[in-house]
Amino acid sequence: MAEENKRKEIHDLGEFGLIDHLTKSFKLKQASSMLGIGDDAAVIKNGDQMTVVSTDMMVEDIHFSLSYTPMKHLGYKAIISNLSDIYAMSAVPHQVTVSLAISNRFSVQALEELYEGIQSACDLYNVDLIGGDTTSSNKGMIISITAIGSVAQDELVFRTGAKPGDILCVSGDLGAAYLGLQILEREKQLYDSHPGVQPELDDQKYLIGRQLKPEARGDVIENFRKYKLKPTAMIDISDGLSSELFHICHSSGVGAFIEEGKVPLHPDTEQTAIKFQLDPITCALSGGEDYELLFTVDEGDLEKIRFMPNVYIIGDIVDKKDGITLHTTGGNVHPLKAQGWQHLQS
Ligand code: ADP
Ligand code: MG
């Protein structure tokens, strides 16, 4: 068969290769389209203010399992993951739309619980639910959310502005949501093989909470304004530290190093990782769904971040030629891999 007629496989391109392949011939035509594909959210010029838009889809048994995710938490988390993308532009979210594909496997009561979670996130983050769509699905549930926010043009932060010498920071501890998922998966397996046995999860509240009820770091964006700090680049950590750092580095045309000993880990993360025979730092680098912010700061702003709460310095931005590396506590330098959550695994 001629090479050009050969069926192409999605997994040969990967998630980002596929997006690029499908969209590269689309050019922005509208003067108001300030930024299209390639950041946490798109940016539309709207007078002096910039409107920021982000959309995300969650598919049952890919992104969540209803065997251990209460409906209320699912609704809450679906909103949070979208708000996090708006904050990652240094913008403030104002509205969301929620679209659902469901089957009659779900009762009205179950969907009421889903919307209780959506409502409590909307109330806490002061955003309005302004629309959506409801349709049927053959089997699993699909939730698609669009979040809309705004920001003054000079306060926008993209993935593209990191430069050598900048300080690499994160807003909180990492790896906990991934370990929370491991605990829930393990309990599900135990439950499936021994139905009726109640799981003992009380001593794992922190990790499970980070998995089932994450928060979006709007408080960090507020602090940026308060301390008059503008990061040079920013992204939210939905797919793992390593993968997000690669996005910043590729978008900004730079390299970076992370100091292993400086990556914030909750004590429960360290203990549970070891119990599961996992390396805690690997959980932080490759686990997903922490929804912390990863950002870079000009070295001249060091004094400002020293006094800001929830800022952990974890490394530095370097020249592109120096690559993206991990400086281990043992004094070794390892090239980092971009493995995070792979949504499109073969
Ligand atoms: P995030 O992880 O921050 O939610 P994604 O990795 O989902 O971002 O998306 C990366 C970029 O690609 C975003 O700008 C997003 O809007 C865009 N994108 C993703 N899927 C598609 C698609 N099917 N068509 C057009 N743009 C897409
Ligand atoms: Mg994002």
Side-chain angles (χ1 to χ4, degrees):
M1 204 190 291
E3 191 60 27
E4 62 268 25
N5 291 330
K6 208 173 137 221
R7 183 188 144 98
K8 291 182 191 157
E9 300 301 333
I10 290 173
H11 64 244
D12 290 338
L13 292 172
E15 180 182 352
F16 300 107
L18 178 68
I19 296 169
D20 185 51
H21 179 75
L22 296 175
T23 60
K24 63 184 174 221
S25 65
F26 287 74
K27 304 285 175 247
L28 298 179
K29 294 180 285 291
Q30 299 286 338
S32 56
S33 302
M34 283 253 319
L35 178 72
I37 294 161
D39 215 305
D40 291 290
V43 181
I44 302 164
K45 193 168 166 58
N46 193 1
D48 288 344
Q49 284 286 302
M50 301 291 123
T51 299
V52 176
V53 183
S54 177
T55 196
D56 252 315
M57 189 145 56
M58 291 170 76
V59 178
E60 185 178 349
D61 292 332
I62 304 272
H63 301 97
F64 60 90
S65 166
L66 288 174
S67 53
Y68 49 66
T69 313
M71 280 287 191
K72 198 171 164 178
H73 288 79
L74 177 62
Y76 192 90
K77 183 170 175 176
I79 297 292
I80 294 304
S81 67
N82 277 271
L83 302 186
S84 179
D85 277 322
I86 299 294
Y87 290 130
M89 306 300 290
S90 203
V92 178
H94 303 304
Q95 290 92 12
V96 289
T97 65
V98 175
S99 300
L100 280 184
I102 37 168
S103 66
N104 55 13
R105 192 180 123 225
F106 297 97
S107 66
V108 172
Q109 286 88 342
L111 298 173
E112 280 170 359
E113 280 179 35
L114 179 77
Y115 271 73
E116 265 179 52
I118 290 175
Q119 188 158 36
S120 71
C122 286
D123 288 347
L124 189 62
Y125 288 82
N126 197 25
V127 301
D128 292 328
L129 171 66
I130 56 160
D133 194 20
T134 306
T135 186
S136 47
S137 152
N138 290 337
K139 203 165 149 260
M141 179 190 280
I142 300 174
I143 308 173
S144 172
I145 295 182
T146 297
I148 302 159
S150 73
V151 59
Q153 185 162 5
D154 60 354
E155 284 178 339
L156 260 174
V157 178
F158 303 103
R159 294 178 181 178
T160 49
K163 56 186 190 313
D166 283 359
I167 305 160
L168 184 65
C169 308
V170 69
S171 60
D173 68 273
L174 301 175
Y178 174 76
L179 283 166
L181 180 65
Q182 301 312 305
I183 294 166
L184 292 167
E185 294 265 6
R186 195 186 56 170
E187 291 304 328
K188 176 175 181 284
Q189 278 170 12
L190 286 177
Y191 183 83
D192 289 347
S193 52
H194 300 91
V197 177
Q198 285 299 309
E200 284 185 29
L201 300 173
D202 272 3
D203 58 340
Q204 301 288 9
K205 272 199 177 122
Y206 181 73
L207 300 179
I208 292 171
R210 290 283 278 174
Q211 167 58 223
L212 290 183
K213 195 173 176 291
E215 301 295 346
R217 301 310 303 268
D219 58 319
V220 175
I221 303 304
E222 270 176 36
N223 278 338
F224 288 157
R225 311 277 198 265
K226 204 157 95 190
Y227 288 73
K228 299 200 183 343
L229 175 79
K230 187 182 171 195
T232 51
M234 183 155 59
I235 189 167
D236 72 318
I237 306 187
S238 49
D239 292 349
L241 174 59
S242 191
S243 153
E244 312 299 0
L245 181 61
F246 265 76
H247 285 312
I248 286 195
C249 287
H250 285 165
S251 297
S252 298
V254 294
F257 67 82
I258 292 174
E259 285 187 53
E260 180 184 9
K262 290 195 174 170
V263 175
L265 298 169
H266 190 276
D268 290 2
T269 302
E270 296 194 85
Q271 278 167 22
T272 305
I274 290 161
K275 215 162 80 188
F276 281 18
Q277 295 182 314
L278 294 166
D279 187 7
I281 189 74
T282 308
C283 296
L285 289 169
S286 302
E289 304 188 294
D290 290 309
Y291 298 108
E292 294 296 341
L293 294 168
L294 177 69
F295 54 97
T296 57
V297 169
D298 188 279
E299 54 190 330
D301 284 330
L302 180 62
E303 284 307 306
K304 285 186 197 165
I305 51 173
R306 270 218 186 122
F307 299 107
M308 252 181 85
N310 304 310
V311 176
Y312 302 84
I313 298 176
I314 61 166
D316 265 315
I317 298 297
V318 297
D319 275 344
K320 190 176 177 183
K321 66 172 169 38
D322 296 324
I324 305 172
T325 58
L326 179 72
H327 292 190
T328 69
T329 37
N332 294 317
V333 177
H334 290 300
L336 271 180
K337 294 198 188 79
Q339 64 200 179
W341 260 160
Q342 295 293 324
H343 302 296
L344 295 175
Q345 267 160 347
S346 53

